[in-house]
Amino acid sequence: MRSGTWAVLCVAIATAGCGGINENVDNTVASVVPVRGEATVGETRAAITARVSASESVSTSPGGLARLRLDQGPELLLDTETSVTLHDGESLTLSRGRVFLEIQPNEQVLLSTENGSLRASDASFSAVLADGATHVYVVRGDVSWTVGETRGIA
């Protein structure tokens, strides 16, 4: 066999052997990358990089840490034992744990919790669910909050 034929054959075998990840990315709104420990998308353990669809949850294991990048641009860091559910490219619900969000100009995020909601654009902040309350720490910019009919800026 000629060396060119061997090269083509080797590439074909390597490609078939890798298997790849069979994901339908048309309906996804974010990417998750486990940093430490395990991260799950729904009930499935996330690979090196996994796509997340609207209505899916992303969770981290005890001791886990994961990066979540929304397709609209905002980036999140999910702390240990954290769970968020994505609704679309810019809204999500925090149901457990702590998350840090980095939102650039011309991007926005709506983060809901059992206690209310937080909306931010061009800001950095963390939100943690603890003791039946949502605690917010704003690093940069302004974060507006809503609890029932009450509104404010943090």
Side-chain angles (χ1 to χ4, degrees):
M1 251 187 206
R2 297 196 276 16
S3 61
T5 304
W6 273 109
V8 170
L9 183 60
C10 288
V11 168
I13 290 171
T15 302
C18 290
I21 299 172
N22 185 14
E23 289 185 307
N24 179 1
V25 297
D26 291 338
N27 299 320
T28 60
V29 295
S31 297
V32 64
V33 176
V35 174
R36 179 181 67 225
E38 289 185 13
T40 57
V41 176
E43 298 296 320
T44 306
R45 183 177 178 187
I48 294 170
T49 298
R51 295 293 296 163
V52 184
S53 296
S55 300
E56 282 191 307
S57 63
V58 177
S59 302
T60 55
S61 64
L65 190 67
R67 292 191 182 281
L68 181 66
R69 181 177 175 97
L70 304 180
D71 289 349
Q72 302 295 327
E75 296 185 24
L76 295 81
L77 184 64
L78 280 62
D79 200 5
T80 183
E81 297 185 79
T82 295
S83 183
V84 297
T85 301
L86 281 76
H87 302 293
D88 56 36
E90 56 188 38
S91 66
L92 55 141
T93 299
L94 174 65
S95 55
R96 182 182 76 219
R98 176 174 44 199
V99 63
F100 179 80
L101 298 91
E102 179 70 35
I103 306 116
Q104 300 300 321
N106 301 318
E107 299 173 353
Q108 72 174 12
V109 168
L110 173 65
L111 178 68
S112 300
T113 71
E114 61 193 24
N115 308 108
S117 63
L118 304 163
R119 183 178 298 275
S121 178
D122 192 16
S124 300
F125 70 97
S126 66
V128 61
L129 287 176
D131 305 320
T134 302
H135 303 276
V136 180
Y137 178 72
V138 180
V139 176
R140 177 182 61 82
D142 293 323
V143 176
S144 63
W145 55 268
T146 304
V147 177
E149 296 297 319
T150 306
R151 297 171 182 245
I153 296 178

